[in-house]
Amino acid sequence: MTLRPDLQVIASHVAPSSRVLDIGCGDGALMMALREKDCDVRGIEIDGDCVERCVSQGLSVVQGDADRDLGDYPDKGFDYTILSQTLQTAERPDRMLDELLRVGTRAFVSFPNFAHWRTRAALMFGGRMPVTRSIPVSWYETQNIHHVTIKDFRELAEAKGAKIVRDWYFAGEKPVSRAGANARAEFAVFELAR
Amino acid sequence: MNARSQTLTLPAPLPLDGGGELARVEVAYETYGELNEDRSNAILLCHALTGDQYVASPHPITGKPGWWERMVGPGKPIDTDRFFVICANVIGSCMGSTGPASESSDGSPYAMRFPVITIRDMVRAHVGLLDALGIETLHAVVGGSMGGMQALSLAANWPERAERVLVIASTSRHSAQNIAFHELGRQAIMADPRWHKGDYYGSETPDNGLAVARMAAHITYLSEEALTEKFGRNLQDREAKSFGFDADFQVESYLRYQGSGFTQRFDANSYLYITRAMDYFDLAEEHGGRLADAFAGTTARFCLVSFDSDWLYPTSESRHVVHALNAAGAPVSFVELSAPHGHDSFLLDVPALDRVIGGFLG
């Protein structure tokens, strides 16, 4: 099975045998990959069908809403917390970031970059909320309630006292360098610590 | 399927939560499949309030199929080709394990002299059975409804005895509403003139009271949607209302049938004792008031399943347990499955449940 590029980056940078919490784990693809690395992986997922698929593959996944349920997890209960393509759906991304670094020693966060040139162009020239490859759904049916750019995220991390340990940028499957990433990257992956 | 029915007499008196002990305890059980050489493939299945050990073989009184035939058997989610499945009748019940109908030391039935027991007492008897079978660690303990309470109790009190704990449509404590419904049933039994303060063995049994108790409980096992879909306001075998108190509506007739069928296979005093045990169940209270402490240091993997139409043990009850397990750092899965049948969904055809159980048991 091939992983989405952001998940691939995360999977390859999680240390073997770590304790990992995958928040919004979907169908468990990343969890399966991390299990191969001997990690103790737990997941939270809101969609019941996804949870059922995970559990029937033997994964430990709890059906729940990350906005509410993260509070039940103990401080530093995990080596890593992972939030892939979910930050923009959080009720309060700032509080979510705090929770990520409370529950985990390190956190991986990936999200679609709203400052990508194609998004900017769609808004500037089309005058409409963009529908692009990385933000593929119309404004009225998207789960994304807080669109965020790479620049915004860096500022939020700084405001929250979170240190960016590593960062990766992608346009489609292709890596993009840090320089100019805010305009050129469709999505970003950050590894954070406090 | 190759089922073996046996009865074990526990080698020592059973200490009870309520104080004192119960002498000469018998535990009636069935097994399916074969225990492997290193005794690592055993699954203990815990039955619900009015269930019994006949999980996948015909009931000796009613002749009906076992209560979880669809789940337990060769190639089924609880696969008896791979697992050695044990299902024991709980103490206090009436299908062979020691209960109020059993003979006491003076040769007459205990009746109401039977001590009040708890869920943990039931599990203590099960653990005695596991000891006798030489099973140190279960591959899994599995239970729905009251069986789920037993599974949780085993995990909390004998944490080294099960590697996996599967709890379906259950709770860590009985709510006021749960207790209220049980009290309704108990009062119906005790109000039956044939109950005679429990001393009815050898004479007429309090069937009317027990049937009413069963009818009330049965309503809590279904959902409004299931009742409406099955019966609506349809009339039973008649064109018009009788303007009397016969079973005009199909739903009335159904409940009467359920109630009277139940009296043939269940002892009224057992119903009193087992409902009491469930009402007393509060796993947090047993562990200093904090549910997470009940699971401190557990190494078992947990899976909880609830059903969206279950209002007897709603999803919030399962979530409460999941939160405690998270706080204790235990590996836990939880899923709320969609099913129309209410609490009874765990006994009925819900393919997603089969997948979850099969996957979790590995």
Side-chain angles (χ1 to χ4, degrees):
Chain A
M1 184 168 48
T2 52
L3 283 175
R4 233 167 45 202
D6 58 326
L7 299 182
Q8 238 165 47
V9 164
I10 295 168
S12 61
H13 288 88
V14 166
S17 310
S18 311
R19 290 170 47 81
V20 183
L21 179 64
D22 188 356
I23 300 152
C25 61
D27 62 4
L30 177 63
M31 295 181 72
M32 295 292 274
L34 291 173
R35 205 160 62 166
E36 300 287 302
K37 295 180 82 170
D38 222 18
C39 290
D40 175 5
V41 203
R42 319 281 176 81
I44 304 180
E45 172 56 46
I46 200 161
D47 180 275
D49 290 338
C50 279
V51 179
E52 182 217 305
R53 273 204 296 281
C54 289
V55 176
S56 51
Q57 293 177 93
L59 297 168
S60 293
V61 174
V62 169
Q63 185 176 9
D65 181 348
D67 280 322
R68 287 202 310 268
D69 296 350
L70 269 183
D72 302 317
Y73 289 80
D75 291 1
K76 301 296 176 213
F78 296 89
D79 300 314
Y80 298 95
T81 47
I82 293 170
L83 192 71
S84 60
Q85 310 281 14
T86 303
L87 184 74
Q88 71 279 6
T89 69
E91 246 167 52
R92 285 290 299 267
D94 55 337
R95 287 185 197 150
M96 180 70 82
L97 197 59
D98 280 333
E99 284 294 88
L100 289 178
L101 289 168
R102 179 185 67 80
V103 175
T105 308
R106 295 215 169 175
F108 282 100
V109 179
S110 78
F111 56 85
N113 172 30
F114 206 69
H116 183 245
W117 64 267
R118 216 177 270 134
T119 322
R120 299 191 199 196
L123 191 55
M124 178 179 275
F125 300 115
R128 293 206 179 100
M129 283 300 279
V131 178
T132 66
R133 188 164 63 179
S134 54
I135 305 168
V137 187
S138 292
W139 62 274
Y140 49 83
E141 53 179 340
T142 181
Q143 295 176 312
N144 302 346
I145 54 176
H146 290 107
H147 288 294
V148 55
T149 72
I150 290 169
K151 228 175 173 175
D152 288 327
F153 185 78
R154 287 178 166 281
E155 275 176 23
L156 176 64
E158 194 180 343
K160 287 282 166 196
K163 192 171 94 213
I164 294 170
V165 181
R166 282 182 281 204
D167 48 354
W168 300 266
Y169 307 95
F170 294 89
E173 313 277 306
K174 286 204 193 79
V176 169
S177 71
R178 186 178 298 142
N182 198 41
R184 291 170 50 235
E186 280 174 292
F187 59 92
V189 184
F190 287 92
E191 183 181 349
L192 305 165
R194 187 163 266 161
Chain B
M1 194 186 358
N2 205 0
R4 279 175 295 245
S5 285
Q6 287 164 81
T7 302
L8 169 84
T9 305
L10 295 183
L14 189 74
L16 300 174
D17 282 350
E21 50 187 33
L22 194 55
R24 286 187 303 104
V25 174
E26 297 201 322
V27 180
Y29 64 100
E30 292 237 303
T31 65
Y32 307 82
E34 300 296 329
L35 189 60
N36 62 11
E37 215 156 273
D38 58 1
R39 297 170 182 264
S40 63
N41 69 333
I43 291 180
L44 178 67
L45 266 183
C46 300
H47 68 71
L49 199 178
T50 66
D52 48 53
Q53 66 273 41
Y54 301 102
V55 56
S57 46
H59 193 282
I61 297 172
T62 64
K64 287 183 182 164
W67 55 270
W68 229 11
E69 285 260 9
R70 58 176 297 279
M71 195 63 76
V72 180
K76 292 183 182 176
I78 301 177
D79 187 352
T80 51
D81 285 340
R82 294 175 52 214
F83 297 117
F84 177 64
V85 175
I86 309 156
C87 188
N89 192 218
V90 295
I91 59 164
S93 195
C94 52
M95 288 304 292
S97 290
T98 299
S102 305
E103 212 174 78
S104 70
S105 54
D106 67 4
S108 59
Y110 280 104
M112 298 309 282
R113 294 177 300 163
F114 193 74
V116 168
I117 53 160
T118 65
I119 296 289
R120 183 161 53 183
D121 293 334
M122 295 173 182
V123 178
R124 199 173 282 122
H126 288 346
V127 170
L129 172 63
L130 296 180
D131 287 342
L133 294 174
I135 295 164
E136 207 150 295
T137 308
L138 291 162
H139 179 79
V141 57
V142 177
S145 196
M146 183 181 86
M149 299 178 196
Q150 294 166 56
L152 287 171
S153 179
L154 183 119
N157 295 294
W158 292 270
E160 70 289 350
R161 298 303 288 254
E163 287 173 0
R164 291 170 191 75
V165 182
L166 177 53
V167 177
I168 306 160
S170 191
T171 181
S172 66
R173 61 187 174 194
H174 243 209
S175 69
Q177 191 188 50
N178 297 146
I179 297 169
F181 273 109
H182 275 175
E183 176 61 1
L184 170 64
R186 284 190 294 263
Q187 288 300 330
I189 290 168
M190 294 191 281
D192 188 319
R194 290 177 183 165
W195 182 60
H196 291 302
K197 293 188 161 55
D199 277 322
Y200 53 76
Y201 298 106
S203 58
E204 284 180 320
T205 50
D207 290 357
N208 291 337
L210 182 59
V212 172
R214 177 62 168 180
M215 287 165 77
H218 203 81
I219 298 167
T220 70
Y221 301 154
L222 306 174
S223 65
E224 186 175 359
E225 185 190 348
L227 278 177
T228 303
E229 192 183 311
K230 209 166 174 179
F231 307 110
R233 293 182 50 85
N234 298 339
L235 300 182
Q236 176 76 28
D237 301 331
R238 65 194 68 198
E239 297 297 316
K241 292 168 200 159
S242 70
F243 292 95
F245 293 97
D246 288 343
D248 276 10
F249 294 102
Q250 280 180 6
V251 66
E252 295 173 320
S253 164
Y254 170 76
L255 284 179
R256 289 181 187 193
Y257 169 78
Q258 288 292 335
S260 71
F262 184 57
T263 59
Q264 294 161 24
R265 69 174 180 89
F266 215 81
D267 177 38
N269 284 342
S270 282
Y271 198 86
L272 299 180
Y273 278 93
I274 299 177
T275 56
R276 201 73 194 129
M278 294 171 79
D279 290 348
Y280 279 152
F281 186 61
D282 183 345
L283 198 53
E285 187 189 64
E286 285 175 20
H287 292 84
R290 192 167 170 265
L291 187 57
D293 291 344
F295 306 112
T298 182
T299 53
R301 284 181 54 207
F302 288 78
C303 181
L304 283 95
V305 180
S306 70
F307 295 97
D308 56 0
S309 56
D310 183 352
W311 57 276
L312 188 62
Y313 302 125
T315 292
S316 55
E317 295 293 332
S318 291
R319 260 186 207 293
H320 181 65
V321 178
V322 170
H323 290 170
L325 286 163
N326 272 329
V332 53
S333 294
F334 163 65
V335 62
E336 178 189 61
L337 298 177
S338 193
H341 324 289
H343 179 63
D344 264 357
S345 296
F346 80 97
L347 297 169
L348 301 171
D349 185 27
V350 180
L353 179 65
D354 300 11
R355 292 193 290 272
V356 167
I357 291 180
F360 179 72
L361 295 178

